[in-house]
């Protein structure tokens, strides 16, 4: 594997290397916003990620240097990471697997490592044991572990982290209006919303949007059970599911066999369907894509979620919470919202208020900068940027 040329090291200014995987769990959007804020303050940023993540999030567009790396932890990938990180003042890994690869690359080197855990890793049996080993190595190698929830901070401490802290979940500013049809839909204008609903086949019927990985343990089977229950309502709600995974074929087979009012859309990085939805469903016990949750708060889309992790920390009282794997509770929560416009309006208002007063990219960048300053071991004169949000 050939590595992307490394930008020349400068004595003035701090150089931070960010390492992540495909970025689909929300870490990609987080790193994009963080990189933009850091660059705006005079920090030199290098982002190491697969090329698919660069295409999805445009890290280079934030002013960062991009270095392509694979998801594997093989010797070639580790060597590329070691070369890129060699001239850094601090290395920041996002997610468990990225942290594990970086720990192999840095070894006992002198470059301080910061690790952010964006979501919990859930696995059982042999795979669960492997996950725990990776967590211990990442936690004990890192100078600081940042968790987006108190649950993840506690988990890092149990795995042996020397320093584990809570980091605010950033809420990036809105992007400037664009001229494309997709951006018009995302603006939430009534005409665009109506047109989008009609295009999705939801004219005159409730439209539900669910998000999660199509894999065991992500709540998709109970979700289909619930869809069968509320499918007897008139008009019959349409459920759209965004996400992909190894269980997609089996789920589609069941949808076809039972004639469920469900469509599997696959991976949707832009969430264009959100503003057309009446309710957003987050059925998995793993944390949902946080950028989508944040956009739902902004758009005033009521949320029904499994009550755990970063989602609860982010949405507070702006959602209905149900137990994991309980299709009856999920069906009743959705049915109750569809039958109660007043309750939906209260959740909309709570979500918008939460979005307006929640942590911003500015807050997160400031917090992360203070950690870098501390680890760099020298005072850094940060240049205040014009904006911490992605462009």
């Amino acid at each position: 594997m050939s590595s992307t040329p490394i930008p020349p090291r400068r004595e003035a200014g701090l150089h931070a290397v960010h390492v992540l995987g495909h970025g689909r769990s929300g870490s990609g959007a987080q790193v994009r916003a963080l990189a933009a804020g850091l660059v705006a303050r005079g920090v030199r940023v290098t982002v190491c990620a697969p090329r698919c993540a660069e295409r999805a999030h445009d890290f280079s567009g934030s002013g960062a240097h991009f270095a392509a790396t694979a998801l594997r932890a093989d010797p070639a990938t580790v060597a590329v990471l070691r070369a890129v990180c060699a001239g850094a003042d601090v290395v920041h890994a996002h997610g468990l697997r990225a942290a594990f690869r970086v720990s192999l690359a840095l070894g006992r080197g002198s470059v301080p490592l910061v690790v952010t855990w964006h979501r919990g890793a859930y696995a059982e049996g042999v795979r669960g044991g492997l996950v725990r080993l990776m967590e211990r190595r990442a936690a004990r190698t890192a100078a600081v572990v940042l968790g987006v929830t108190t649950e993840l901070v506690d988990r890092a401490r149990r795995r042996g982290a020397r320093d584990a802290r809570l980091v605010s979940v950033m809420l990036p500013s809105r992007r400037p209006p664009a001229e494309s049809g997709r951006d018009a839909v995302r603006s939430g204008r009534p005409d665009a919303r109506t047109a989008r609903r009609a295009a999705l086949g939801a004219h005159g019927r409730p439209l539900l949007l669910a998000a999660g990985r199509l894999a065991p343990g992500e709540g998709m089977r109970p979700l289909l059970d619930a869809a069968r229950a509320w499918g007897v309502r008139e008009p019959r709600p349409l459920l759209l599911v965004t996400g992909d995974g190894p269980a997609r074929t089996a789920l589609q087979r069941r949808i076809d066999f039972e004639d469920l009012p469900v469509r599997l859309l696959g991976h949707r990085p832009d969430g264009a369907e959100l503003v057309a939805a009446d309710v957003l469903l987050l059925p998995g016990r793993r944390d949902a894509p946080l950028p989508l949750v944040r956009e739902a708060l902004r758009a005033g889309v009521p949320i029904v979620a499994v009550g755990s992790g970063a989602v609860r920390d982010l949405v507070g009282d702006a959602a209905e919470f149900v137990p994991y794997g309980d299709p009856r509770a999920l069906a009743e929560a959705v049915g109750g919202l569809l039958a109660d416009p007043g309750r939906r309006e209260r959740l909309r208002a709570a979500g918008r208020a939460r979005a307006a007063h929640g942590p911003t990219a500015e807050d997160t960048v400031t917090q992360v900068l203070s950690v870098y300053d501390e680890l760099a071991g020298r005072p850094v004169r940060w240049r205040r940027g014009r904006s911490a949000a992605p462009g």
Side-chain angles (χ1 to χ4, degrees), residues 37-58:
L38 293 171
V39 169
R41 287 157 179 77
V43 178
R44 190 158 51 98
V45 178
T46 299
V47 176
C48 299
R51 294 191 185 279
C52 62
E54 166 67 2
R55 290 192 295 269
H57 301 288
D58 186 25

Side-chain angles (χ1 to χ4, degrees), residues 18-154:
H18 289 254
V19 182
L20 71 158
H22 49 59
R24 292 180 183 173
S25 65
S27 60
Q30 295 276 318
V31 172
R32 175 57 162 81
L34 183 57
L38 293 171
V39 169
R41 287 157 179 77
V43 178
R44 190 158 51 98
V45 178
T46 299
V47 176
C48 299
R51 294 191 185 279
C52 62
E54 166 67 2
R55 290 192 295 269
H57 301 288
D58 186 25
F59 302 115
S60 300
S62 71
H65 178 80
F66 174 72
T69 55
L71 290 171
R72 301 182 299 273
D74 59 2
T77 301
V78 171
V80 171
L81 287 174
R82 184 178 296 118
V84 175
C85 296
D89 296 293
V90 62
V91 177
H92 193 156
H94 298 264
L96 178 59
R97 288 167 179 79
F100 180 73
R101 293 196 301 274
V102 173
S103 72
L104 296 177
L106 295 181
R108 297 182 178 275
S110 60
V111 180
L113 172 63
V114 177
V115 173
T116 295
W117 286 0
H118 295 265
R119 63 189 303 180
Y122 295 94
E124 299 176 350
V126 175
R127 182 174 175 80
L130 178 60
V131 166
R132 287 189 292 274
L133 287 173
M134 293 173 65
E135 286 180 338
R136 281 197 290 271
R137 180 178 181 104
R140 295 174 182 179
T141 303
V144 177
V145 177
L146 302 176
V148 301
T149 68
T150 55
E151 178 184 352
L152 289 174
V153 171
D154 291 341

Side-chain angles (χ1 to χ4, degrees), residues 47-318:
V47 176
C48 299
R51 294 191 185 279
C52 62
E54 166 67 2
R55 290 192 295 269
H57 301 288
D58 186 25
F59 302 115
S60 300
S62 71
H65 178 80
F66 174 72
T69 55
L71 290 171
R72 301 182 299 273
D74 59 2
T77 301
V78 171
V80 171
L81 287 174
R82 184 178 296 118
V84 175
C85 296
D89 296 293
V90 62
V91 177
H92 193 156
H94 298 264
L96 178 59
R97 288 167 179 79
F100 180 73
R101 293 196 301 274
V102 173
S103 72
L104 296 177
L106 295 181
R108 297 182 178 275
S110 60
V111 180
L113 172 63
V114 177
V115 173
T116 295
W117 286 0
H118 295 265
R119 63 189 303 180
Y122 295 94
E124 299 176 350
V126 175
R127 182 174 175 80
L130 178 60
V131 166
R132 287 189 292 274
L133 287 173
M134 293 173 65
E135 286 180 338
R136 281 197 290 271
R137 180 178 181 104
R140 295 174 182 179
T141 303
V144 177
V145 177
L146 302 176
V148 301
T149 68
T150 55
E151 178 184 352
L152 289 174
V153 171
D154 291 341
R155 186 169 181 162
R157 289 170 178 159
R158 291 196 302 271
R159 297 293 187 259
R162 293 168 287 171
D163 187 343
R165 312 177 191 182
L166 184 67
V167 65
S168 60
V169 179
M170 66 173 64
L171 193 62
S173 302
R174 286 184 181 276
R175 295 185 179 185
E179 298 297 326
S180 70
R182 176 178 295 170
D183 287 319
V185 170
R186 294 182 67 184
S187 71
R189 294 198 302 270
D191 55 340
R193 185 175 189 271
T194 300
R196 185 60 176 168
R197 288 174 65 88
L200 293 169
H203 181 69
R205 61 193 294 198
L207 180 62
L208 311 174
L209 180 67
R213 180 166 166 75
L214 308 188
E218 301 299 332
M220 290 300 156
R221 287 185 179 180
L223 179 65
L224 295 191
D225 291 340
R228 182 174 55 194
W230 67 57
V232 300
R233 299 176 57 90
E234 289 295 338
R236 196 183 192 199
L238 173 63
L239 172 64
L240 306 178
V241 181
T242 66
D244 217 332
R248 178 168 183 168
T249 300
L251 293 171
Q252 186 63 60
R253 188 179 301 120
R254 179 182 171 187
I255 291 167
D256 295 340
F257 182 76
E258 299 183 19
D259 189 29
L260 298 177
V262 180
R263 287 174 53 194
L264 304 181
L265 300 180
H267 179 58
R268 287 290 196 273
D270 58 1
E273 295 77 16
L274 181 62
V275 295
D278 295 297
V279 181
L280 173 65
L281 310 178
L282 307 170
R285 61 185 170 189
R286 291 182 16 140
D287 292 324
L290 296 185
L292 184 67
V293 179
R294 291 192 296 269
E295 287 299 324
L297 293 175
R298 281 197 176 117
V301 178
I303 299 171
V304 176
V306 171
S308 65
V311 172
R312 180 176 286 277
D313 287 355
L314 180 60
V315 305
D317 61 354

